[in-house]
Amino acid sequence: MDTVNMLINVAAIVSGLFIYIFICKTRWGKEHEQIQYAIMLMAILFAVLVGGLIRWLLK
């Protein structure tokens, strides 16, 4: 098992979750509840970018 890659994946998932929660708690997020799917998709893409950035930095 590759521990470093697993920790990078966990960090990416947690960052995506935190950005999603942060956006949903803001006034803008509450006003745009009808586009939660798009906000969630953006948070997932952000998590993928964070994971790729961490991998690139550790390479």
Side-chain angles (χ1 to χ4, degrees):
M1 177 180 285
D2 191 5
T3 306
V4 174
N5 278 331
M6 186 166 60
L7 290 175
I8 291 171
N9 288 339
V10 169
I13 290 168
V14 168
S15 68
L17 179 63
F18 281 139
I19 194 74
Y20 175 71
I21 291 171
F22 175 76
I23 290 173
C24 288
K25 296 282 184 183
T26 62
R27 186 176 55 139
W28 184 88
K30 291 177 183 175
E31 290 174 357
H32 293 88
E33 287 181 349
Q34 69 275 12
I35 59 168
Q36 287 297 311
Y37 182 76
I39 294 170
M40 196 180 314
L41 182 61
M42 184 196 66
I44 291 170
L45 291 174
F46 176 77
V48 169
L49 290 174
V50 166
L53 180 65
I54 294 171
R55 278 191 180 84
W56 180 73
L57 290 173
L58 293 178
K59 195 171 188 183

